Amino acid sequence: MFVACGDPAASSTKDSVPAVQVHTSVYIEQISHIDEKNQTFDIVCSLAFVWKGGNDRLHLNIVNAAPGLSILNETVRTLESGDRLQNIRLSGSLSSEMFFKRFPFDAQTLSLEIEDFDSRLSELEFVPADTVPAMDPRVSLSDWHVRRGALGTVAHEYRGMFMGRKVSHTFSRLRMTLGISRRSAYYYVYFFIPLGILVIVSFLPLCCQGSEMTLEGKNQVGLAAFLSIIALQFTLSDKLVKTGYLVFMDQVFVICYVFIFVTLVLIDLQYILETRGRPGDRIPRLIAKLLYIGCPCALLLVLAITTCRTFL
């Protein structure tokens, strides 16, 4: 968005006039369909703009509009006080950048950003009527907790080249934000608890003596747990956009893979010590006891370190 620079004298005269203050309020009627793959959400909201002087109407630009966003109705009228009032009602999708590093314990910020593309900051400035947007008490999301929103303005600068020279224009941008945090109960029931059970099951054959369970049977238990975790990860991968970083859940899966792999190696090592050791030799038993205690402790330690690095 760039506008050619006109007569410097005229521009100087225009900039000397105080910027028109546009008092703004937002009312959120509905929020739905948080699309994590496309990083969009659906919203229905009403906005009111009140100002005195300047243009007869605002030329609004929804900065983060996504395909499907539409203005259901719009009215402009003059109040008895002489102020201008412009009401618009939006319905559709908005884009909002999301970060999933803490998934499934993540929190996101949904936003609505608006500018008047016909007036620069020196000509028009949005002034929120309140620090938070009003919201219908029935607004709720099945997968997310809806937190308190915020309403504010920022000065947004556009820079570029025009006819071989650098130009920059600054516009007042109205920004409405709404915080949401993910409900994690689903992931405990369908992922964390099954993962814990599979890891414990894969470790149990290590506690069995050779006479109680064959080497093939022990390895089969570990491989079955390994394949089950792969299936769980594939189920979860359909829910998120592909990211260039590992989310918390990915790190948990990697830790489970490594633990089961190490368990399979230790099972084979235990078999070698039991079959090649002399009868009554205490070394295999001592090593086995160390493994029984060391493996779970190492798993818990790695999980604790991963959690701290992700959330702190």
Side-chain angles (χ1 to χ4, degrees):
M1 183 195 307
F2 295 106
V3 182
C5 297
D7 182 9
S11 177
S12 176
T13 303
K14 194 172 185 178
D15 290 343
S16 63
V17 179
V20 174
Q21 291 191 336
V22 181
H23 298 273
T24 310
S25 61
V26 179
Y27 181 75
I28 301 173
E29 302 176 33
Q30 181 181 350
I31 290 179
S32 61
H33 191 210
I34 310 296
D35 188 342
E36 298 169 39
K37 283 196 170 183
N38 296 314
Q39 301 195 23
T40 62
F41 66 98
D42 292 344
I43 188 171
V44 178
C45 66
S46 300
L47 300 98
F49 304 90
V50 179
W51 73 98
K52 180 175 291 186
N55 298 331
D56 291 336
R57 64 177 297 139
L58 303 178
H59 301 86
L60 299 175
N61 172 39
I62 313 299
V63 178
N64 59 327
L69 182 69
S70 60
I71 297 178
L72 298 180
N73 51 59
E74 181 177 11
T75 60
V76 181
R77 62 191 178 93
T78 303
L79 302 177
E80 293 181 359
S81 60
D83 294 344
R84 299 287 292 174
L85 170 63
Q86 183 169 341
N87 289 311
I88 65 171
R89 188 165 183 261
L90 299 175
S91 177
S93 298
L94 295 172
S95 61
S96 187
E97 190 173 10
M98 300 179 185
F99 299 95
F100 301 103
K101 188 173 182 179
R102 296 183 176 182
F103 174 84
F105 305 105
D106 54 319
Q108 306 296 339
T109 301
L110 309 180
S111 64
L112 167 64
E113 301 185 5
I114 298 177
E115 292 177 356
D116 186 318
F117 61 81
D118 195 40
S119 302
R120 304 178 198 175
L121 179 61
S122 58
E123 303 163 0
L124 183 146
E125 181 182 5
F126 289 107
V127 179
D130 198 357
T131 56
V132 296
M135 188 186 308
D136 191 307
R138 295 172 295 179
V139 171
S140 64
L141 295 167
S142 59
D143 296 337
W144 301 82
H145 294 285
V146 180
R147 297 179 175 177
R148 192 177 183 183
L151 191 62
T153 58
V154 293
H156 189 82
E157 184 179 10
Y158 292 92
R159 297 181 180 181
M161 300 292 296
F162 180 75
M163 298 182 65
R165 58 176 178 169
K166 295 181 179 179
V167 294
S168 65
H169 301 300
T170 305
F171 294 81
S172 179
R173 176 176 291 187
L174 176 70
R175 175 175 293 170
M176 184 275 293
T177 58
L178 184 67
I180 58 174
S181 57
R182 193 186 302 272
R183 301 178 189 267
S184 304
Y186 168 85
Y187 299 93
Y188 278 110
V189 174
Y190 290 95
F191 291 97
F192 285 110
I193 293 177
L195 279 175
I197 293 174
L198 289 171
V199 168
I200 293 173
V201 168
S202 69
F203 178 74
L204 288 179
L206 192 62
C207 304
C208 300
Q209 300 298 323
S211 58
E212 299 172 346
M213 193 174 186
T214 63
L215 176 64
E216 292 78 7
K218 294 180 179 181
N219 286 330
Q220 286 176 2
V221 172
L223 291 174
F226 196 89
L227 294 175
S228 299
I229 293 178
I230 292 176
L232 279 175
Q233 188 174 21
F234 273 111
T235 302
L236 189 64
S237 64
D238 293 335
K239 296 181 176 292
L240 282 180
V241 63
K242 293 182 179 179
T243 62
Y245 52 86
L246 290 178
V247 302
F248 176 71
M249 198 68 185
D250 292 332
Q251 298 176 52
V252 172
F253 277 115
V254 171
I255 292 172
C256 292
Y257 289 142
V258 172
F259 181 82
I260 293 178
F261 175 76
V262 171
T263 301
L264 290 172
V265 173
L266 293 177
I267 287 174
D268 292 337
L269 179 61
Q270 181 190 50
Y271 176 78
I272 293 173
L273 292 175
E274 288 180 352
T275 55
R276 296 186 180 181
R278 291 172 297 179
D281 195 347
R282 297 178 57 186
I283 294 180
R285 295 181 181 179
L286 180 62
I287 293 176
K289 290 182 179 179
L290 291 175
L291 293 178
Y292 301 157
I293 300 173
C295 286
C297 290
L299 175 64
L300 294 175
L301 179 62
V302 173
L303 281 174
I305 293 173
T306 302
T307 303
C308 291
R309 291 185 60 185
T310 303
F311 293 93
L312 299 181

